[in-house]
Amino acid sequence: MRVHAHAWLACAATLALMVMGSLVHGTGSSLACPDWPLCHGTAFPAMTGGVRFEHTHRLMAAAVVVLVVSLLVRSMRVTDRGVPWLAAAACGLVVMQAALGALTVVYRLPPAISVAHLATSMTFLTVVVLLATRLTVQKAPARPDARRGWTAAAGSLVLGQVVLGAAVRHLGAALACSGVPLCTGAVWPESWPGRVHMIHRAAGAVALVAVLGASIVAFRGAGSASRRAAALAPAAVVLAQVGLGLGVVLAHAPLDLVTLHHAGGALLLGSLALSWGLAG
C-alpha cells in the first residue's frame, strides 16, 4: 500500500471509529465494559448487549492506533520534512484520546472528560486528513493566504461548535428545547440546559456563515476541478449538518439522526482540512 493510501485508510478508520463511539453513547453502552483496557476481565468478552458496542469501539480504536503508529514509521522515509511532524502529532493525539477514553470509564463518564474525549477525536481526525492531503499532493503547503485564513477560521469555529454539541449531549440538553427557532417558545430559556442548547444553535448559525464564506473564497481561487470540488464540499456538508440538527430537535433526538449529526460534524471538519490542504 502506498503511504498516501495508508493515510486515507487511517482517515476512514477514524471516521468509522467516531461513528461507533457515537453509537456507544447513544445506546447507553458506555459502561457496558466497567473495566479498562479489558472488558469484564477478558480481551474476548461475550459480544452481547452493550458490550458489542463498547468492545467493538475499543477494538476499532486499537486498529486506528496500529494504522497511525505504522504511518509514523513509514513517514520517516518521506522527503517532505513536515510529514513526520504531522504523523507524530497524530500519534500524540491518538495516545491522548486513548487516555481520555480510559478516564471516562474509570471515573464513570464525567461530562468534562467526555467532552474532551470528543474534542480530541475531532482534532485527531483533522490532523490525519491534513497528513493524508499532504502525502497526496506531495508538496509542502504554499504560504498562508486569504483562502487558507478563511478556511482556518471556519475550521476553528466548527471545532468550537462541535465541542458545544458534545456539551449539549453529555449534559443531557439535547431535548431541553423543543421547536425551532425558539426554545419551547422562549428566545432565552430559564433553565441551564436550555441555555446551553440555544448557545449551540447560535454558534451553529455563525459557523454556517463562516463555512459558506470560506467555501466561496476557496472556490474562487481553485485552479482545477478537483480543488473546486474540495472547496465546495464544506458548504454541502454544513447545509446537510444544519438540516440534521433541525431533524434531531423536531424528531426528539432519535439515535439514527443523532449519530448522523455527529458524523456530519466530523465530515465537516475533515472537508475543511482537505480544502485547506489543497489551497494554493
Side-chain angles (χ1 to χ4, degrees):
M1 183 184 298
R2 294 184 178 181
V3 67
H4 71 279
H6 185 160
W8 286 116
L9 178 60
C11 293
T14 300
L15 181 60
L17 174 64
M18 294 169 75
V19 171
M20 180 55 71
S22 181
L23 286 171
V24 168
H25 183 274
T27 57
S29 305
S30 300
L31 294 178
C33 295
D35 46 346
W36 191 95
L38 300 178
C39 181
H40 296 286
T42 177
F44 303 101
M47 300 295 274
T48 59
V51 171
R52 61 179 173 171
F53 292 101
E54 171 63 4
H55 197 60
T56 298
H57 179 61
R58 293 187 184 183
L59 294 175
M60 293 173 68
V64 169
V65 170
V66 172
L67 281 170
V68 173
V69 172
S70 58
L71 185 57
L72 173 60
V73 173
R74 296 187 69 184
S75 72
M76 297 299 181
R77 304 174 184 176
V78 178
T79 56
D80 183 350
R81 294 183 179 180
V83 166
W85 286 107
L86 282 171
C91 283
L93 285 166
V94 81
V95 169
M96 184 185 301
Q97 180 73 348
L100 288 169
L103 290 174
T104 60
V105 174
V106 172
Y107 291 103
R108 298 298 186 261
L109 311 178
I113 295 178
S114 296
V115 171
H117 186 57
L118 186 139
T120 304
S121 71
M122 292 290 180
T123 305
F124 170 69
L125 176 65
T126 302
V127 171
V128 176
V129 172
L130 288 173
L131 174 59
T133 304
R134 188 155 176 173
L135 286 168
T136 301
V137 299
Q138 297 183 347
K139 67 175 184 177
R143 296 179 61 184
D145 56 15
R147 286 173 293 165
R148 280 207 165 89
W150 273 88
T151 304
S156 298
L157 288 171
V158 168
L159 180 58
Q161 171 66 351
V162 168
V163 172
L164 282 172
V168 167
R169 190 174 194 184
H170 292 290
L171 292 175
L175 296 176
C177 295
S178 61
V180 176
L182 301 179
C183 178
T184 319
V187 176
W188 187 245
E190 294 183 2
S191 68
W192 175 243
R195 291 179 179 181
V196 173
H197 188 116
M198 289 302 284
I199 291 172
H200 179 58
R201 290 192 194 182
V206 175
L208 170 64
V209 174
V211 172
L212 293 177
S215 283
I216 292 171
V217 172
F219 180 80
R220 288 178 175 175
S224 66
S226 61
R227 282 173 165 77
R228 287 193 293 271
L232 291 179
V237 176
V238 77
L239 292 174
Q241 182 71 341
V242 169
L244 287 168
L246 294 174
V248 168
V249 174
L250 297 176
H252 305 291
L255 178 60
D256 54 351
L257 287 182
V258 171
T259 303
L260 286 172
H261 192 52
H262 179 89
L267 284 172
L268 182 53
L269 268 176
S271 65
L272 286 166
L274 176 64
S275 179
W276 189 92
L278 291 178

